[in-house]
Amino acid sequence: MGAELTGAEIVVQALADLGVEVVFGYPGGAVLPIYDAIFAQDRIRHILVRHEQAAVHAAEGYARSTGKVGVVLVTSGPGATNAVTGITDALMDSIPLLVLTGQVPTHLIGTDAFQECDTVGITRHCSKHNYLVKDTARLGPVLHEAFYIARSGRPGPVVIDIPKDVQILKARYDKPGVTGHKTYKPQVKGDRAAIEAAVEMIAAAERPIFYTGGGIINSGPVATQLLRELAKLTGAPVTSTLMGLGTMPDDHPQFLGMLGMHGSYEANMAMNRSDLMVCLGARFDDRVTGRLDAFSPDSRKIHVDIDRSSINKTVRVDLGIIGDVGGVIEDMIKIWRARGHRAADLAAWWSDIAGWRARDSFGYRQTGPELMPQHAIKRLYELTRAQKPIISTEVGQHQMWAAQHFGFHDPNKWLTSGGLGTMGYGLPAAIGAQVANPGALVIDIAGEASIQMNIQELGTATQYRLPVKIFIINNQYMGMVRQWQELNHGGRYSESYSDSLPDFVMLAQAYGWKGIVIEGPDDLDAGIAAMLAHDGPVIVDCRVSQTANCFPMIPSGASHTDMILHASETRGEADEDAKALV
């Protein structure tokens, strides 16, 4: 039999038994017993953030850069509600988290006690699962079960709400032998007959394309290698969602780049003209599909996903395969080889793709003497690629420019808020990634507006001596808001100008960071070199063209053939060009 422990001690012991090494959190009255238990041990490291939202984003960065479950500890009431944005972000992007929240004592629940809120009710629709534990004896089993749920199937955040008296009372704790859930049993192994059918469809296709997403990265590094092997065997082109960048090397000849609203012309046109689309670990997000009735209209569609609710949810497919995408790809490869298939003659298809690539859709035009943001990010990539940095971003134009112009060769190097689009994500995510990867170069590519959403986390990096780098693309606008106002609202820039900006160099110095200003093109390389030469945290204020827009772009609700490649183009030019090639 296990020892009799307080609820707080059970929490710490269970986390240690689960292999947790780091917890991101912020103390408060309703979790002080757990903090007291953390104080009394040295197995689990605690990272003190400055805001609970940042605790969750930091845990996301930790999880995404390692493949492990991120763990968060916050207090009741405002502690829990501050964490909701991060919890929702993790749910949208399928990030495995365990979020522990304090709660008022059980006898006060429902009385509007000080710092009480209905955490279970609030998080019911933004978490994968949640618990309110009213019995100390249930804490251990619940923690192990929650950890299993968070990381199995389609990963996601699980919330455990723990009343203060449950943390103080004692119960026996026994480490369970086998952990699971009595009803939640995700299907991991794909149906053999369905996979065989998929292989035959791929072998027969004349214009196939693999549409890959973050599910491949969540499946693990082996899945990434298997995807690359499948692409080589079939000879088919591969494209990726924003979340899937890194599944294929950015310079691989079969990789067409990111697709979707700000994706490459060749990726979007290939999706539109394909006769077979194989979706691997993606979910047909609206930023990818555009107008549904015009999305890849002539293709047969295969969808592989571990979440059965994703199959046929948005786009009707001809063949759905439920299972872990890495295992399904492995079975595809085995069946392909067993049946003696060879890569089809796709010369005509690759000729079309070469024509679309020739448009150089990520090209940009120098509009004057100002530093172009695309050039700044491209040079940042070129000067850091040898170090294989981990890149996080905030949300906006800079995020899309980073996806377009910063190359990713490997998984778990790209941390961005895809589904929720959370401004303020990048800095705490970079902190979490730096904690998990102390020897890595970690850079947050930010905007001058987004970076201020969680700017207080500069103090966290200082406290733990984390050499995070922040590279601010400073155009003095909420850039994506300004772009949409220019294109869709007659240039009425309502409240999108970033006024009263701080002196980022002085702000950096106030927190013990190094501050660097890049005023223009002539300062760029030297500024990046100075950032890399400093062994501590750095803020780079990179001042770029104020009016540069992020192209190419598919207007919201439009089809892939309505893509605008450059500012001078109008909707429909892509369609005319495609007709000439097909």
Side-chain angles (χ1 to χ4, degrees):
M1 293 291 289
E4 191 170 73
L5 305 173
T6 67
E9 291 168 339
I10 289 173
V11 169
V12 173
Q13 183 62 54
L15 293 178
D17 288 343
L18 288 163
V20 173
E21 298 174 340
V22 180
V23 172
F24 300 88
Y26 199 96
V31 285
L32 287 184
I34 299 176
Y35 273 90
D36 205 38
I38 290 173
F39 183 81
Q41 57 83 54
D42 58 6
R43 292 166 295 177
I44 297 173
R45 184 184 185 194
H46 182 276
I47 302 297
L48 176 66
V49 296
R50 273 52 179 171
H51 191 283
E52 291 89 352
Q53 178 187 346
V56 187
H57 293 327
E60 287 187 272
Y62 180 93
R64 292 176 70 164
S65 65
T66 62
K68 299 178 181 179
V69 176
V71 181
V72 177
L73 175 60
V74 297
T75 195
S76 64
T81 57
N82 281 346
V84 166
T85 296
I87 294 168
T88 309
D89 189 274
L91 181 71
M92 294 283 279
D93 287 347
S94 304
I95 309 303
L97 297 183
L98 186 63
V99 182
L100 309 178
T101 61
Q103 185 54 273
V104 300
T106 52
H107 68 279
L108 291 179
I109 292 175
T111 68
D112 293 332
F114 177 68
Q115 290 195 331
E116 179 192 3
C117 73
D118 179 8
T119 301
V120 168
I122 290 170
T123 62
R124 178 167 288 121
H125 299 293
C126 65
S127 63
K128 186 176 178 182
H129 193 51
N130 61 16
Y131 301 83
L132 171 61
V133 182
K134 294 185 177 181
D135 180 359
T136 303
R138 286 284 301 145
L139 257 182
V142 164
L143 281 156
H144 283 268
E145 183 178 282
F147 204 82
Y148 164 79
I149 292 172
R151 65 182 177 180
S152 63
R154 178 181 175 181
V158 178
V159 177
I160 305 178
D161 200 31
I162 312 174
K164 190 170 185 178
D165 56 328
V166 172
Q167 302 169 38
I168 296 170
L169 295 173
K170 289 189 173 184
R172 289 198 177 277
Y173 168 72
D174 295 289
K175 180 181 177 181
V178 179
T179 304
H181 188 277
K182 60 183 178 181
T183 58
Y184 178 63
K185 301 182 186 300
Q187 181 177 331
V188 176
K189 185 71 173 175
D191 179 74
R192 173 80 181 190
I195 297 173
E196 289 176 346
V199 167
E200 295 307 316
M201 291 168 71
I202 295 169
E206 296 179 356
R207 301 187 306 280
I209 187 168
F210 291 115
Y211 156 36
T212 64
I216 293 176
I217 294 174
N218 285 340
S219 184
V222 173
T224 301
Q225 295 305 316
L226 290 168
L227 169 67
R228 297 175 184 189
E229 187 175 350
L230 181 63
K232 183 178 180 180
L233 285 172
T234 62
V238 181
T239 184
S240 166
T241 65
L242 178 71
M243 300 300 296
L245 293 175
T247 55
M248 287 285 285
D250 71 290
D251 57 356
H252 194 287
Q254 286 176 255
F255 186 55
L256 307 187
M258 181 179 71
L259 81 162
M261 179 174 280
H262 292 288
S264 74
Y265 181 56
E266 55 267 30
N268 283 311
M269 291 309 305
M271 284 285 280
N272 185 266
R273 301 304 188 205
S274 67
D275 66 356
L276 178 71
M277 176 205 305
V278 185
C279 178
L280 301 171
R283 58 185 178 86
F284 295 101
D285 179 76
D286 67 288
R287 286 300 192 261
V288 165
T289 63
R291 203 177 83 228
L292 283 174
D293 63 355
F295 175 66
S296 195
D298 300 320
S299 70
R300 301 177 74 192
K301 299 174 179 65
I302 300 170
H303 188 185
V304 179
D305 204 294
I306 201 164
D307 180 4
R308 67 175 60 247
S309 71
S310 290
I311 307 291
N312 290 321
K313 180 174 70 175
T314 304
V315 171
R316 300 295 299 180
V317 298
D318 298 277
L319 178 61
I321 302 174
I322 301 165
D324 177 77
V325 69
V328 172
I329 295 174
E330 184 177 20
D331 288 343
M332 284 180 171
I333 292 170
K334 290 178 180 177
I335 294 168
W336 182 278
R337 286 180 168 150
R339 297 192 173 187
H341 287 306
R342 304 286 182 187
D345 181 4
L346 304 179
W349 182 221
W350 279 108
S351 177
D352 288 345
I353 291 170
W356 296 321
R357 273 180 166 163
R359 291 295 297 270
D360 188 22
S361 60
F362 288 163
Y364 54 91
R365 298 165 184 171
Q366 184 74 38
T367 58
E370 298 174 303
L371 174 59
M372 298 302 290
Q374 302 94 324
H375 177 62
I377 291 173
K378 190 172 182 179
R379 285 301 291 158
L380 180 66
Y381 167 58
E382 291 167 349
L383 295 173
T384 62
R385 63 180 300 177
Q387 295 173 258
K388 297 183 177 180
I390 297 172
I391 300 296
S392 71
T393 75
E394 309 295 334
V395 169
Q397 284 179 318
H398 65 274
Q399 176 191 30
M400 294 296 103
W401 282 320
Q404 292 173 343
H405 298 282
F406 203 102
F408 297 95
H409 291 249
D410 301 298
N412 304 108
K413 301 290 189 182
W414 168 246
L415 319 175
T416 196
S417 176
L420 195 62
T422 307
M423 293 175 72
Y425 169 89
L427 173 54
I431 286 171
Q434 191 76 82
V435 168
N437 304 272
L441 172 62
V442 181
I443 305 173
D444 172 26
I445 297 177
E448 83 292 333
S450 281
I451 192 61
Q452 296 186 80
M453 288 281 189
N454 273 313
I455 196 72
Q456 73 285 339
E457 298 310 313
L458 296 175
T460 303
T462 301
Q463 178 178 345
Y464 297 100
R465 299 180 181 180
L466 303 172
V468 171
K469 317 301 183 190
I470 301 174
F471 194 81
I472 300 174
I473 300 297
N474 185 352
N475 59 12
Q476 299 184 54
Y477 275 103
M478 299 171 206
M480 195 61 83
V481 174
R482 185 205 61 77
Q483 177 169 333
W484 281 57
Q485 287 173 333
E486 176 185 329
L487 299 178
N488 300 327
H489 298 276
R492 295 180 293 278
Y493 302 126
S494 178
E495 304 300 325
S496 58
Y497 186 73
S498 295
D499 199 358
S500 303
L501 287 171
D503 182 322
F504 286 109
V505 171
M506 293 184 67
L507 182 65
Q509 293 170 349
Y511 276 97
W513 289 46
K514 180 179 179 63
I516 297 171
V517 176
I518 294 174
E519 297 278 5
D522 295 340
D523 301 335
L524 181 59
D525 283 14
I528 294 172
M531 178 190 79
L532 298 175
H534 186 67
D535 61 3
V538 180
I539 294 178
V540 177
D541 180 4
C542 184
R543 299 176 182 177
V544 300
S545 169
Q546 289 186 280
T547 57
N549 283 335
C550 185
F551 290 110
M553 177 181 178
I554 301 172
S556 182
S559 70
H560 288 166
T561 54
D562 283 328
M563 176 173 262
I564 303 171
L565 296 188
H566 302 288
S568 62
E569 294 185 344
T570 59
R571 290 168 64 164
E573 286 198 14
D575 195 28
E576 292 304 313
D577 183 70
K579 289 175 182 176
L581 286 168
V582 175

